[in-house]
Amino acid sequence: MQLLANVLIDGLAYGMVLFIIAVGLSVTLGLMRFVNLAHGAFAMIGGYAAALLTREAQWSFWVAVPAALALTAAAGALLEALVLRHLYRRSELEQVLFTIGLTFFLIALTNALAGPQVQLIVLPPLLAQPVDLGFRTLPAQRLLVIATGLLVAAAAAWTVARTRFGVWLRAAVDHPDTAATLGIPIRTVQCASFAAGAALAGLGGVLGAELMPLEPYYALKYLVLVLVVVAVGGMGSLPGSLLAAVALGIVETASKYLASDWGSLFFFLAMAMLLAWRPDGLLRR
């Protein structure tokens, strides 16, 4: 029972990190129908910014994280406004080639500027201290990851389904010409959605630095995992992405506890079985 509890708590934390990063990709890929393989780079940017601000600039963690997220959102908005908006009507192949090329460029730039070493985020004492759950102790930061993941899931679902901006986003994606004639600011919606997705990816990069170490190849190393979450969950389905992230996170964690020599084999085996069972994903938009 103790082993099962350890797998569940660690798997839930790992799954929440994957979900927080995947939310933005679920919006851009599933809702906006733009294949953005540079999404992992935004998680890396947010994590690196928080690491440099807390370690080099000696900023408080609670100040550095919002600043890192604002920087990541600004980078996403700038990239969307200057470059990516021209690719919306291009083929999926052109989108893939450009964004994967951008990923390799950012990897090389990160390696040149910060070096190949792993970046550490300095945590405040409140998050670094252990919390006794009865069956084990773990850092308070792990509990923050789980709580933040649940909060992001609720906020994202509410925003897309219940707010005026969510209505604008769905209308701009499904019927752009009609939405434009009704006065919906399509360009503003697209840019804001992309910036929000980048900021959420940055948040995942910050909170998940303990489980997914920050290094130059981060943007490519974990991209496949995020794509798997979006595909298994269902394109554009935020509840589906949450369900897929938690399920796959538990499978990955269980494999590390019980069969560490097999690496991520069980993760991708579970992915294949789930997609064979539900080719359109666990939940559909």
Side-chain angles (χ1 to χ4, degrees):
M1 290 301 295
Q2 183 176 357
L3 177 61
L4 177 61
N6 287 335
V7 168
L8 290 177
I9 193 72
D10 289 340
L12 183 59
Y14 184 59
M16 285 302 178
V17 172
L18 291 178
F19 171 71
I20 295 173
I21 299 176
V23 168
L25 186 60
S26 181
V27 171
T28 55
L29 181 59
L31 290 179
M32 298 174 65
R33 302 187 183 112
F34 177 74
V35 185
N36 178 27
L37 297 189
H39 188 74
F42 293 118
M44 181 178 69
I45 291 172
Y48 265 72
L52 293 176
L53 289 175
T54 56
R55 192 179 68 251
E56 303 297 336
Q58 301 294 312
W59 285 24
S60 165
F61 177 86
W62 306 110
V63 177
V65 170
L69 299 188
L71 175 65
T72 309
L78 186 65
L79 184 64
E80 194 277 344
L82 296 180
V83 181
L84 297 183
R85 68 186 184 93
H86 300 293
L87 297 174
Y88 286 152
R89 296 186 180 274
R90 298 293 185 92
S91 68
E92 288 83 358
L93 178 60
E94 291 175 294
Q95 295 172 1
V96 166
L97 290 176
F98 179 84
T99 54
I100 198 66
L102 179 61
T103 298
F104 281 110
F105 169 77
L106 292 174
I107 288 173
L109 181 63
T110 302
N111 190 51
L113 294 178
Q117 65 272 15
V118 173
Q119 302 294 319
L120 301 177
I121 298 177
V122 180
L123 297 176
L126 178 63
L127 296 181
Q129 67 182 0
V131 176
D132 188 1
L133 299 180
F135 59 90
R136 66 170 291 186
T137 59
L138 74 165
Q141 185 265 352
R142 198 74 61 87
L143 297 179
L144 176 65
V145 169
I146 296 174
T148 303
L150 295 174
L151 181 62
V152 167
W158 178 77
T159 299
V160 172
R162 299 294 181 182
T163 66
R164 180 179 296 272
F165 181 82
V167 174
W168 284 358
L169 173 60
R170 288 181 282 122
V173 169
D174 294 334
H175 301 283
D177 295 334
T178 305
T181 60
L182 292 174
I184 294 177
I186 294 179
R187 282 294 308 126
T188 301
V189 170
Q190 291 172 334
C191 189
S193 300
F194 205 92
L200 287 173
L203 177 62
V206 172
L207 296 179
E210 177 193 4
L211 300 172
M212 299 160 63
L214 292 164
E215 42 90 16
Y217 281 92
Y218 181 102
L220 195 61
K221 185 176 181 180
Y222 299 109
L223 174 64
V224 174
L225 302 181
V226 178
L227 286 172
V228 167
V229 168
V230 175
V232 171
M235 301 293 285
S237 172
L238 299 181
S241 295
L242 175 61
L243 181 60
V246 172
L248 293 172
I250 291 175
V251 169
E252 173 84 351
T253 304
S255 67
K256 291 180 178 178
Y257 270 94
L258 302 175
S260 58
D261 294 338
W262 291 88
S264 298
L265 174 64
F266 292 102
F267 179 93
F268 292 106
L269 182 61
M271 174 204 72
M273 294 174 63
L274 288 171
L275 288 178
W277 172 50
R278 303 275 294 182
D280 294 326
L282 297 176
L283 300 176
R284 299 182 64 181
R285 183 169 75 90

